């Protein structure tokens, strides 16, 4: 399984764009990159998934360079409610239980 | 619709007691996962079911941990002779057919005294 490396924590201010980068040097051909968000006392929640280039949804964007050895989750104009832990997962979604969580990045948004 | 539910939300056990944690997945979700999350850490995979079949139990930390899903819906994670190191949040997730998105429940916080 591909190992991921993320910053342990990040601080930001309301209204700023936040970019969280995840390194996954050993990503395999069949692997996708998935991000989950977790608030205190809740289970993780799916944010976004991609394979290459750029994916955008109503919550975030995911940028993946051509070599796919890293990826960047971009959160536009964060608010206090975006304070959470963000997990980067790399795995083959068609291999049923291939997704593994790392330690995540604790994002704190300040007023 | 209803999400994944777990019960109890909080459980306090004395060392040596047995505990049973319940997960009600979203209706129609054939895949079910159990995770253990220690304080300040990410979820750690414990076991995976597809319908009633337990296809992967490689993450169960010891033979004191046992999971079942006899009818392919509700699942129970049982921990025998609990130890202090078992204190954690136990998360259940389910996944619909044809999707790789897991839907998590709120977890059960187990504290072993």
């Amino acid at each position: 399984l591909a190992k991921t490396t993320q910053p342990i924590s990040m601080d930001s201010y309301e209204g700023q764009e936040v970019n969280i980068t995840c390194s996954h040097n050993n990503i395999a051909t069949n692997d996708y990159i998935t991000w989950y968000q977790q608030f205190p006392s809740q289970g993780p929640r799916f944010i976004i998934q991609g394979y290459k280039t750029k994916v955008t949804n109503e919550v975030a964007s995911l940028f993946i360079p051509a070599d796919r050895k890293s990826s960047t989750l971009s959160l536009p104009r964060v608010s206090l409610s975006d304070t959470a832990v963000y997990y980067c997962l790399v795995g083959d979604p068609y291999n049923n239980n291939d997704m593994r969580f790392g330690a995540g990045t604790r994002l704190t948004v300040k007023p | 619709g209803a999400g994944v539910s777990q019960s109890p939300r909080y459980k306090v056990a004395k060392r040596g007691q047995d505990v049973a944690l319940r997960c009600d997945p979203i209706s129609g979700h054939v895949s079910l996962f159990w995770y253990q999350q220690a304080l300040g850490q990410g979820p750690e995979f414990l076991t995976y079911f597809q319908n009633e079949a337990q296809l992967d139990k490689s993450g169960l930390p010891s033979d004191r941990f046992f999971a079942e899903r006899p009818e392919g819906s509700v699942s129970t994670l049982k921990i025998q002779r609990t130890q202090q190191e078992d204190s954690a949040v136990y998360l259940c997730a389910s996944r619909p057919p044809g999707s790789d998105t897991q839907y998590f429940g709120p977890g059960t916080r187990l504290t072993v005294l």
Side-chain angles (χ1 to χ4, degrees):
Chain A
L1 300 177
K3 179 179 169 60
T4 61
T5 303
Q6 306 173 232
I8 293 174
S9 64
M10 294 181 68
D11 290 342
S12 182
Y13 291 92
E14 282 190 294
Q16 289 188 333
E17 178 184 77
V18 171
N19 296 308
I20 305 174
T21 296
C22 179
S23 297
H24 28 80
N25 291 320
N26 297 323
I27 190 168
T29 302
N30 294 333
D31 288 346
Y32 282 64
I33 300 146
T34 309
W35 287 80
Y36 279 76
Q37 173 192 54
Q38 186 176 27
F39 297 113
S41 300
Q42 295 186 24
R45 181 178 72 119
F46 172 89
I47 301 177
I48 197 166
Q49 183 184 74
Y51 184 81
K52 61 180 180 180
T53 62
K54 176 184 174 183
V55 179
T56 297
N57 62 22
E58 65 277 7
V59 176
S61 294
L62 179 59
F63 298 91
I64 306 167
D67 66 5
R68 305 202 322 124
K69 293 183 183 299
S70 66
S71 58
T72 299
L73 174 72
S74 181
L75 304 173
R77 297 180 299 281
V78 294
S79 63
L80 296 177
S81 62
D82 293 315
T83 294
V85 179
Y86 293 82
Y87 296 98
C88 166
L89 288 74
V90 173
D92 181 352
Y94 300 102
N95 184 354
N96 288 315
N97 59 331
D98 194 39
M99 308 292 275
R100 295 290 190 269
F101 288 80
T105 297
R106 183 173 301 275
L107 172 66
T108 302
V109 180
K110 302 176 182 179
Chain B
V4 177
S5 61
Q6 294 186 245
S7 61
R9 289 294 313 276
Y10 303 91
K11 177 68 178 178
V12 178
K14 292 183 179 179
R15 189 159 53 98
Q17 282 185 329
D18 298 348
V19 298
L21 313 180
R22 177 187 170 107
C23 172
D24 285 81
I26 295 172
S27 178
H29 285 199
V30 301
S31 299
L32 185 145
F33 302 79
W34 282 99
Y35 293 86
Q36 180 190 59
Q37 186 170 26
L39 190 63
Q41 302 297 314
E44 294 277 347
F45 170 82
L46 292 177
T47 188
Y48 158 70
F49 289 85
Q50 185 160 317
N51 295 304
E52 69 278 3
Q54 188 175 20
L55 300 185
D56 187 341
K57 53 182 180 179
S58 62
L60 296 176
S62 77
D63 58 7
R64 296 186 295 105
F65 286 71
F66 172 77
E68 60 183 5
R69 194 185 184 199
E71 298 179 357
S73 58
V74 172
S75 177
T76 303
L77 176 67
K78 298 179 179 178
I79 309 173
Q80 297 177 323
R81 304 180 303 282
T82 52
Q83 304 294 317
Q84 285 189 319
E85 61 264 27
D86 299 335
S87 296
V89 174
Y90 290 86
L91 293 163
C92 174
S94 68
R95 187 179 69 192
S99 169
D100 60 316
T101 299
Q102 296 185 30
Y103 296 82
F104 283 82
T108 295
R109 181 177 297 278
L110 172 65
T111 303
V112 181
L113 303 177

